[in-house]
């Protein structure tokens, strides 16, 4: 019996603005190249590497076809190419949406038939329940298609032990509320929050603060004493909350001023906040967002701090006598270039939505009980990036129009902070132990590239399987504080087929006490890790000179045949 099944949600370019996601005519128009190297790989990895039991198709259309009615996607790719061992489910009411709002079909019965024939197995909604019988009666779909869809659902139920009798006799049958809020689980919530905190700026002498040297801490900002905000949406019921103010107050005496009534910050109370900061030994500003501006069906239209938050931060920083720590609580990135450039703001932390123990975790980091090791999961763009249409799904830049591209792999414009950024209270040194200068892909004598000047080799040919190499890197904690450190390995491929300017190959995390050393090993599969995608969506390995970037070090690598 399994404790549960995992699901990959909303495949195939579900990135258009929420206000248009259900409307016909908007949709997502995606090139085969972008589909193959950006939009599909995360879901492919879920199925092939994660062995998920379910994949969810999204509301939107991709290239004119609703994803939940696309046989090439559902049956051809997910069920066929990836060999999903489970069921395909719609996002809730997606079948209804592509009939009633996108007008993709003329009748609800036709919508039910289109979804089933495409390979949908389960409808999160009512349309299959209401209209499948009518679709059968109208000859739009055969019962055998329905039987096939149901078989995947029941197979999953069998794997879950649904038909194995009294669930109380199973290994998980006696789990209940008493097993949720154990000390171990609450410690895990705190540890997860600590590991997720990213230190983006830290002026020497700022963080960590000394709990014995700080006699008063000003805690300011609309997110400084929040609780539910910390758990985001699609949330569970927390065991208890520790707000930022509560976490910090548990360590040192604090004074508090929200500074704004809410994150909209339309009428900041500047004087009160500035006075409290002026009389404190250090100041922590907890700013950012909440679900009122970023959530499902609620996209941000600006990536600057909302309302007058920037003004509040600047006024408080100017009034402060000691270190000023800016904490951003948000799901996405923020344009905080003003704070990055302001010497009065000595440190910047991003905490995401850190969960029930977020305030305790934040205090652990600020006072040095935990050495931050988080890295940004996405690039933070300047506010000018919002001038780009959200419906432009192209990854690659277009110099003719000034379009800068998207993500660290292709974006050519200015950034506030980049994917993978993150500081520590320790200095970690890197020394290359071993790495190859070249690697060769063995080809049979009859391969066309033996007699022609090929610049790429097709992965589909199967000729570069098991072509691997290893990179060994010695990491030393040269600081005075123990901590964890993540080494990110990037590859810059030859400039063919509009290849990415760089892409993440892998990462390894190591924990080291002061002065300790360890060897980090990267096992690189040439076909899987270094391959790119051509304009037709075919995965290929470019031949020629690569640049490998790891731990701030660069190493050339030549791939040949």
């Amino acid at each position: 019996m399994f404790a549960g099944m995992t699901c990959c949600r909303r495949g195939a370019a579900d990135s258009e603005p929420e206000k248009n996601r259900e409307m016909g005519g908007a949709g997502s128009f995606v090139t085969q190249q972008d589909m193959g190297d950006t939009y599909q790989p995360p879901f492919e990895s879920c199925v092939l590497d994660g062995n998920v039991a379910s994949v969810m198709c999204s509301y939107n259309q991709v290239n004119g076809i609703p994803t939940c009615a696309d046989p090439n996607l559902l049956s051809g790719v997910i069920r066929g190419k990836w060999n999903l061992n489970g069921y395909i489910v719609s996002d809730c009411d997606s079948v209804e949406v592509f009939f009633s709002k996108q007008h993709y079909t003329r009748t609800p019965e036709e919508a039910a038939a289109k979804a089933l024939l495409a390979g949908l197995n389960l409808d999160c909604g009512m349309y299959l329940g209401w209209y499948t019988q009518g679709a059968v009666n109208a000859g739009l779909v055969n019962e055998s298609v329905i039987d096939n869809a149901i078989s995947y659902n029941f197979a999953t139920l069998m794997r879950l032990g649904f038909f194995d009798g009294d669930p109380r006799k199973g290994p998980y049958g006696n789990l209940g509320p008493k097993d949720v809020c154990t000390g171990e689980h609450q410690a895990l919530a705190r540890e997860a929050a600590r590991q997720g905190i990213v230190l983006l700026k830290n002026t020497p002498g700022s963080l960590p603060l000394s709990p014995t040297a700080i006699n008063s801490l000003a805690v300011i900002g609309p997110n400084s004493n929040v609780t539910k905000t910390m758990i985001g949406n699609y949330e569970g019921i927390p065991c208890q909350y520790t707000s930022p103010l509560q976490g910090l107050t548990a360590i040192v005496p604090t004074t508090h001023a929200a500074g704004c009534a809410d994150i909209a910050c339309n009428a900041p109370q500047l004087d009160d906040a500035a006075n409290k900061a002026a009389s404190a030994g250090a100041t922590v500003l907890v700013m950012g967002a909440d679900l009122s501006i970023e959530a499902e069906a609620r996209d941000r239209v600006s990536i600057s701090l909302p309302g007058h938050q920037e003004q509040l931060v600047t006024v408080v920083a100017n009034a402060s006598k000691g270190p000023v720590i800016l904490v951003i609580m948000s799901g996405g990135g923020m344009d905080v270039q003003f704070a990055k450039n302001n010497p009065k703001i000595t440190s910047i932390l991003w905490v995401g939505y850190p969960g029930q123990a977020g305030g305790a975790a934040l205090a652990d980091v600020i006072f040095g009980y935990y050495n931050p090791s988080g890295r940004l999961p996405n690039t933070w763009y300047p506010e000018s990036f919002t001038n780009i249409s959200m419906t432009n799904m192209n990854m690659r830049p277009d110099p003719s129009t000034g379009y800068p591209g998207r993500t660290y792999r292709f974006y050519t414009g200015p950034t506030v902070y980049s994917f993978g950024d993150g500081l520590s209270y320790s200095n970690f040194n890197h020394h290359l132990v071993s790495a190859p200068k070249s690697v060769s892909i063995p080809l049979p004598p009859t391969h066309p590239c033996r007699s022609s000047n090929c610049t790429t080799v097709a992965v589909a040919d199967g000729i570069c399987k098991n072509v691997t190499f290893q990179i060994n890197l010695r990491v030393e904690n040269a600081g005075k504080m123990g901590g964890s450190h993540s080494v990110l390995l990037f590859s810059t491929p030859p400039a063919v087929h509009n290849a990415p300017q760089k892409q993440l190959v892998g990462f390894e995390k190591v924990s080291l006490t002061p002065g300790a050393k360890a060897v980090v090993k990267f096992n690189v599969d040439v076909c899987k890790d270094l391959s790119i995608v051509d304009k037709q969506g075919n995965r290929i390995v470019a031949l020629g000179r690569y640049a490998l970037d790891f731990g701030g070090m660069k190493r050339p690598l030549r791939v040949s045949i």
Side-chain angles (χ1 to χ4, degrees):
M1 183 188 294
F2 291 79
M5 296 287 184
T6 53
C7 172
C8 260
R9 299 183 65 239
R10 298 180 183 164
D14 178 28
S15 301
E16 64 173 307
E18 292 286 350
K19 65 181 180 180
N20 289 329
R21 70 175 176 176
E22 298 177 349
M23 304 306 293
S28 304
F29 294 93
V30 183
T31 67
Q32 289 301 309
Q33 189 171 32
D34 285 343
M35 188 69 78
D37 77 355
T38 298
Y39 291 108
Q40 286 190 354
F43 300 93
E44 180 180 11
S45 181
C46 279
V47 176
L48 297 181
D49 301 326
N51 194 30
V52 295
S54 178
V55 172
M56 176 181 281
C57 52
S58 53
Y59 292 94
N60 58 296
Q61 295 184 6
V62 176
N63 298 333
I65 304 174
T67 63
C68 292
D70 186 349
N72 179 61
L73 175 64
L74 304 190
S75 296
V77 175
I78 299 171
R79 180 73 63 195
K81 183 180 178 182
W82 300 344
N83 195 28
L84 172 70
N85 181 23
Y87 63 96
I88 300 173
V89 59
S90 72
D91 203 346
C92 295
D93 299 319
S94 292
V95 180
E96 177 183 359
V97 163
F98 73 68
F99 163 68
S100 65
K101 295 188 177 181
Q102 296 175 1
H103 308 296
Y104 186 72
T105 64
R106 293 171 297 176
T107 67
E109 290 79 9
E110 187 180 349
K114 286 276 190 184
L116 287 165
L117 290 169
L120 188 69
N121 309 133
L122 183 65
D123 178 19
C124 177
M126 304 302 294
Y127 253 44
L128 290 192
W130 286 345
Y131 297 110
T132 298
Q133 182 65 60
V136 172
N137 295 343
L140 299 174
V141 64
N142 294 325
E143 286 191 26
S144 60
V145 175
I146 302 168
D147 293 341
N148 187 57
I150 292 173
S151 70
Y152 293 113
N153 302 332
F154 274 85
T156 305
L157 289 173
M158 289 177 182
R159 290 162 61 192
L160 286 167
F162 194 80
F163 305 106
D164 291 350
D166 188 348
R168 291 171 296 182
K169 296 180 180 179
Y172 309 106
N174 293 313
L175 290 176
K178 70 181 187 308
D179 302 294
V180 176
C181 294
T182 64
E184 181 183 6
H185 291 166
Q186 295 200 59
L188 178 62
R190 186 167 180 165
E191 176 62 19
R194 294 192 297 191
Q195 290 194 27
I197 293 175
V198 183
L199 178 62
L200 295 170
K201 174 183 178 180
N202 198 31
T203 304
S206 181
L207 291 180
L209 299 180
S210 168
T212 56
I214 298 295
N215 54 18
S216 176
L217 182 70
V219 183
I220 295 167
N223 279 337
S224 60
N225 199 29
V226 295
T227 52
K228 196 173 188 301
T229 296
M230 296 191 300
I231 61 176
N233 63 350
Y234 287 92
E235 74 279 12
I237 300 173
C239 302
Q240 61 181 17
Y241 288 112
T242 303
S243 73
L245 176 62
Q246 291 170 332
L248 295 165
T249 303
I251 298 176
V252 295
T254 60
T255 58
H256 177 246
C260 303
D262 50 36
I263 62 100
C265 200
N266 292 319
Q269 294 85 51
L270 301 175
D271 291 343
D272 182 39
N275 290 336
K276 286 185 167 60
S279 60
T283 300
V284 175
L285 287 144
V286 191
M287 316 300 287
D290 64 16
L291 299 187
S292 68
I293 63 168
E294 56 176 14
E296 182 172 7
R298 190 174 294 127
D299 288 339
R300 280 192 287 159
V301 296
S302 169
I303 51 178
S304 296
L305 289 177
H308 294 282
Q309 286 193 34
E310 180 176 333
Q311 181 187 14
L312 175 63
V313 171
T314 302
V315 168
V316 167
N318 288 336
S320 298
K321 301 296 191 294
V324 177
I325 297 93
L326 174 61
V327 179
I328 304 298
M329 186 180 294
S330 66
M334 291 282 187
D335 183 352
V336 290
Q337 189 69 47
F338 79 96
K340 183 178 180 181
N341 294 341
N342 188 344
K344 290 284 290 183
I345 299 170
T346 54
S347 300
I348 302 175
L349 292 162
W350 179 67
V351 298
Y353 291 124
Q356 66 170 45
L362 175 63
D364 289 340
V365 169
I366 284 177
F367 285 101
Y369 299 115
Y370 187 86
N371 195 346
S373 61
R375 301 295 187 94
L376 275 188
N378 53 13
T379 292
W380 286 21
Y381 302 100
E383 175 66 24
S384 59
F385 190 70
T386 61
N387 295 328
I388 297 169
S389 171
M390 290 180 70
T391 59
N392 187 338
M393 307 298 290
N394 292 322
M395 288 291 118
R396 288 156 172 82
D398 183 353
S400 67
T401 63
Y403 178 67
R406 295 184 183 275
T407 78
Y408 79 96
R409 298 170 69 228
F410 301 104
Y411 178 69
T412 56
T415 63
V416 180
Y417 288 106
S418 298
F419 168 81
D421 282 354
L423 304 173
S424 169
Y425 295 151
S426 296
N427 293 319
F428 291 90
N429 296 330
H430 306 92
H431 173 73
L432 181 63
V433 177
S434 63
K437 295 182 178 179
S438 64
V439 61
S440 179
I441 299 174
L443 297 181
T446 56
H447 195 280
C449 287
R450 288 294 187 191
S451 57
S452 61
N453 187 21
C454 292
T455 59
T456 62
V457 175
V459 171
D461 289 348
I463 44 75
C464 63
K465 286 184 177 179
N466 301 319
V467 180
T468 62
F469 63 90
Q470 188 173 88
I471 296 173
N472 295 314
L473 186 71
R474 182 179 296 112
V475 181
E476 177 188 9
N477 184 348
K480 298 179 180 180
M481 187 175 182
S484 297
H485 177 65
S486 293
V487 182
L488 279 60
L489 172 62
F490 292 95
S491 164
T492 298
V496 296
H497 295 286
N498 289 320
Q501 53 194 359
K502 71 174 183 177
Q503 58 187 12
L504 182 69
V505 172
F507 64 92
E508 296 291 336
K509 191 172 186 177
V510 60
S511 296
L512 296 171
T513 56
K517 301 177 183 179
V519 174
V520 172
K521 298 180 179 180
F522 288 99
N523 294 305
V524 181
D525 183 311
V526 171
C527 279
K528 180 179 180 181
D529 298 324
L530 300 186
S531 60
I532 59 175
V533 173
D534 66 18
K535 291 182 179 179
Q536 290 72 43
N538 303 309
R539 190 156 287 277
I540 56 176
V541 175
L543 302 176
R545 187 180 186 276
Y546 288 71
L548 300 179
D549 185 331
F550 40 88
M553 306 173 65
K554 291 187 182 294
R555 173 85 170 185
L557 173 75
R558 179 162 292 277
V559 177
S560 60
I561 56 175

